[in-house]
Structure formats: C-alpha cells, structure tokens
Amino acid sequence: MAFLTLKGVSKEFGMFTAVRDVSLTIDKGEFVSLLGPSGCGKTTTLQMIAGLVEPTEGRISLDGRDITREKPNRRGLGVVFQSYALFPHMTVAQNVAFGLEMRRVPQAERTDRVREALVLVQLSSFADRYPRQLSGGQRQRVAIARALVIAPPVLLLDEPLSNLDAKLREEMQFELRRIQRKVGTTTIMVTHDQAEALSISDRVVVMEGGRMTQVDAPYRLYEQPSNAFISSFVGKTNLLAGTWRRNGTTNAADIGGALLEASAPEIAAGTPVTLSIRPEKILLCDAGAGRLEGRVASRFFLGSQWLFTVETPIGIMTVSTPNLGVEPAAEGSPVGLDWSPDNMRIIAGTAAAA
Amino acid sequence: MTSRSPIPSAPWLLAGPGALFFFGLVLLPLALTVILSFQAYDHSTGIQNTFTLSHYITVVTDGYYLEIFWRTLRIAALTTLICAAIGVPEAYILSRMRDPWRSVFLLVIIGPLLVSVVVRTFGWSMLLGSQGLVNQALQFVGFAPARILYTETAIVIALVHVMLPFMVIPVWTALQKLDPMVEAAAWTLGASHLTALRRVVMPQVTLGMLSGSLIVFGLSASAFAVPALLGGRRLKMAATLVYDEYLQELNWPLGATIAIIVLVANLCIMLAYNRMVEARARRTLG
Ligand SMILES: Nc1ncnc2c1ncn2[C@@H]1O[C@H](COP(=O)(O)OP(=O)(O)OP(=O)(O)O)[C@@H](O)[C@H]1O
Ligand SMILES: [Mg+2]
C-alpha cells in the first residue's frame, strides 16, 4: 500500500540540478534509507518531502493526498535536521515541548511526553540546559527527541546519528527501529554510512549526482549492485576490468591474460566488462592450490576479522577472513586465492574507478 | 618559536598614539567644558574666574529648560520606537531576500548615510513645507493642508529617516547569525509563519534590536541639524539649545552646563538600558 509517493521529482537551483527525476513509493511503516556520497541531493530530497524546498517538477503525495504545494506546518511530519536546528533560546525541555505546544496538548500530558522522549534519548538530566551547553551528540539527540515526541506519521531523519559514538549509535539505531516497529512510523533516513543503511533499513535508495540509481533491500543491494559505483560504495569490493570471452561452454573474463570464470550468458564475446568480487567471498589457501597466485602485501587486524591486501598478477586484491583464533598468513608470504564462480559478479561496462 | 617582545614598554608605545588622540580630542575638551560650566558669567564683563553653581540651579529650576529636556527625551524615545517598528521587519525581509535584490536594498537602506544630514533635512523641509509635495498631495485628495514643518512631527519624521540604518544593520547582523533551518524547524513542528516569527525568530533578534535602540536613542537625543532646520526658532531640542546659548546669548558657561547635563542624562539612560540588555543576553544567549 503506497503511503508516501514521489513522482518524477526534480529540483533545480538556478542552472544546477540538485535532484533529477526521483520516483519512489514508500509503504506505511517502512524504513527507507537514502544513501549516497556528499552533495548527491539527499538533504534536498528530504526537504522536498518536508515541504521546505519546493520541487521544480514532479508530485509528492502522502496517504493519497497531494502535498506538493502544502505548507510544512500542515504536513505534520517529524524532521531531524542535519544541522539540528535547535531553538537556541529555549531549554532542552522547551525545545522538545514546542511541537506539543503547537498541537495544543494539555500541560500535564505535555510534561509526561517530554520526559518520556528525554528518557528515550538518555538526556533526562539535561532537561534544563540550553543547547549551547550541550555536546554535539547531545544536541543531536535533542533533535531526535523533538521530532519523535509529536508521534508523526512520517519521520524524516537527516543523518540523525552522525555525531554519536559507536555504542550510542547502535542503541539509537535500535530505538529508531523499535519505535518504527511499535508505532508503525514510516521513516526515511538520510545517511552516508553504508553500514548503518544496510543494518536498519527495509529498503535502501542509492543516490548519485541527484539521481536514484538503485532501490533494493539491503541484502540484494549488497549482493547485486547495479553498477560499479554502488558495489564499491556499499561495502568493499574488488573491481577487475577485462574483456568477455566465450569458448565452447565456458564463459570467462579475460583480465590481463588470466581467464576468470563467471556466468553471464547474455553478454556478447569481446565486450569490455567489470568483474566484482567481495573480499569476504575470497578464500586464502596454500600457494598453488587456488585460482590465482599472490603474495600478502599487508594485513590489518579488525577484531572479528583480518583484512589482507594481496599482490596478484592481475592487480591488488582485498581479502577478508574471519578471525579463527590462529595467526594467519604473514606479510610477504605467498598465498593462493580461491572463490566460487557464483560469487563473481559481472557489471557490464568498465568501472570508473575501483 | 617567536621570541618574547624585547621591549617591555611596547604595548604602551603602541597604544600611545590612540590614547593621546583620545585624550586630546575627547577628554581635554570635556574637562574644559566641565570647568567652564562652573564659572560665573556676567552680561557686561563676560566669563569670570569665580566658582559658582548658579547655572546648574538655573537650568534645573527653570521650566523653559525643563520643557526642552522633556521634549528631547520624548522625541528621542518616539524616534527609537518607530525605528524599531519599521527597522526590524525591514531587516527580516532583507535577510530573506535573494542575492541581487538583497545587495540593492541594502544599498538603498545604507545609501542615505552617504548624503549629508543637512542636505537630507533640507529635502524634508521642502517636502513638508506649506507648499511642499506632501501638502499638495493632501489638497489633491481633498484634505485641508496640514502644518507639518516646524512641528515635532517633522522632527520625528526626519530623525527616523536618518536613524533607520542604525537600527536595520544590528538587527540584520543578528539575523545573519541565525540558522534559517531553525525557523524551518518551527514550521515542521506545526508553527504558522507568524508563530515561528514570534516564538523563534524574534527572541534571537531582540538583542540586535536593543543595541540598535541604544544607538538610535543616543544619536536622536543629541541630534542638531534636524531640529535646527525642521524645528524652527521656537521648537528647540537639547543640542540646538546649547548652540543658541553659545552663539546667540554668548553665555558659554550656561551652554556648557546644559551640555554636561544632557551628557550625564544620556549616559545614565544608556547605561541602565545596556545593563538590562546584557542581563537578558546572558540569560538567553550566553
Ligand atoms: N540553496 C541551494 N542553492 C544552490 N545549490 C544548492 C542549494 N542547496 C543545495 N545545493 C546543492 O545541491 C546539491 C545537493 O545538496 P544536498 O544538501 O541535498 O546534498 P547531500 O546529499 O545532503 O550532501 P551531504 O551528505 O553532504 O549532506 C549540492 O551540490 C549542493 O551544493
Ligand atoms: Mg545533507
């Protein structure tokens, strides 16, 4: 059931097109992330939904109602701004209460709800402080509380967790997810942290240069990126440029002389292609046993796993292996790389940059 | 690493020219004026070298002077009020304008400062005169011609015109510091444009408005050209009174006394006001 719909939405600032022809349908209660590099138009898209930026073209509708030209104060959406936009002359409690005041919620109920919201963001003891007396992360949480407390049908979050430490960030992600499940709040979150987008969203929208390039569930986005940019932006990957070859029954890509097997029956022989394989899909084995020979150039310990860069005849490959509690191959030692051909993705065309 | 200053007196030497300038052009004349105000004056023999308080007693007991002081205070306060009422919305609109227009209008607002006050005041006297454009327009619409020139109204109109930039600029500066998204945040929380202005924008602007008021009040209370040219001979304000005592009556000590009283009164009002402003600022903005 479509709850929030964007149809062919574009925004031009003078000659510059910040958002180009975005169409998106979001169901009630869905958690959608907008993911993309800095300046790709995420904030602009979010603000068009909030009613703070007027689209140059296209329509936006909410619950069957066209809201393209509706004033922001009539939309009733909860917004967390990238710059927080707290009211500097009001205390934390007054900031959070503002939306309830505008909705004429009775004083007693208002106090209760403000208290609950502050407990949720772990700021109960800061109720009487002014924003300037808070740290960046605390301000960010006030902004979250201020948007949540009005229980809006749609939450628009512009990088709401960017300033929090890892533990708090995880807790807040969990809270956002819990609220969204419990109340059924439709949530759109802007982020440039791919791990965050993958971990809490139902669907991820990838934006590049003002365009929407892929909309998919996190797992599919990770496993089937539609272009080289996405495969390297969402998670790490090894991109290999080469030419497609067919001889008899085997399909393979010719990467600098080495033939790497993969399946993509519809590609004609001779087409330039880019192969993509995730570091965790590659296995390290003894030298001579794998599909490719190499030498460990460096290795990094990441706690739960090891990250290797391996020099091979076809270029540097990144490999990650789980930490099994034993010391793995040392720097400089020769190793073999092996993988299942099913995990080798083919992205037609050449990659811009690996 | 830079080494420490080798001359310990360097700060004094550097501050010297400025201090000398300040002493020579502000403190010295002020001190001389204070001394002058205590010297006796005789119409036939001029300034005497004897100490007297009589000028002060004359000024604070004579209804003629008190009326002029009261008028000065009233006109300055009214001018400040009108400047705030016009200047604050003007600054807000200015801050929300897009770029080519913003520069144009900023120039329009600051432009008058580039023209001499005397020239502008003569302009007003031509507009407001009995056969001026304003009266012609009134007659054209069918009203009786009004006497505007040589009234307090004329003085206030011209003062507002002269002082408006001093209100617009501090308020505009305060608005520049405000993240425009803060107002947007109020809208998304359900506030109408008017409520957002009242609850979110205005409190931020108050400080700029208060400091603007301080400047406008101080300058209006000591304005000379506007009351001299638009108030006529009878409608005097503090500064024109001082001028007349010095140059018409040639009673310099009395003129000095009035000048000192105006200075002290102005200082008291502005310090009290500033106190209030700062207390407020500490509470809301830190
Ligand atoms: N008011 C404006 N006038 C002109 N250009 C603008 C305006 N607002 C945004 N832009 C441009 O539009 C593009 C998209 O901006 P937007 O703020 O949506 O980026 P973003 O994806 O949110 O980036 P970030 O992750 O850094 O926040 C940028 O290139 C920006 O320079
Ligand atoms: Mg942004």
Side-chain angles (χ1 to χ4, degrees), chain A residues 13 16 18 36-45 82 158-159 190 192:
Chain A
F13 292 110
F16 177 76
S38 184
C40 70
K42 307 179 296 288
T43 298
T44 308
T45 306
Q82 191 167 9
D158 199 344
E159 303 192 16
V190 165
H192 49 218

Side-chain angles (χ1 to χ4, degrees), chain A residues 47 52 71-73 77 79 81 83 85-90 98-99 101-103 130 132 146 150, chain B residues 178-179 181-182 184-193 195 199-200 203-204 282-286:
Chain A
Q47 294 197 338
L52 302 173
K71 290 233 174 78
N73 57 341
L77 312 181
V79 186
F81 291 84
S83 59
L86 299 179
F87 307 130
H89 59 293
M90 296 188 196
F98 188 84
E101 219 176 298
M102 292 300 121
R103 282 166 174 67
Y130 284 95
R132 73 192 130 83
R146 188 176 67 174
I150 58 174
Chain B
L178 186 66
D179 177 4
M181 280 304 136
V182 170
W187 299 337
T188 64
L189 289 167
S192 65
H193 267 269
T195 312
R199 293 287 308 275
V200 176
Q204 303 299 309
R282 217 171 301 123
R283 250 187 305 120
T284 62
L285 300 168

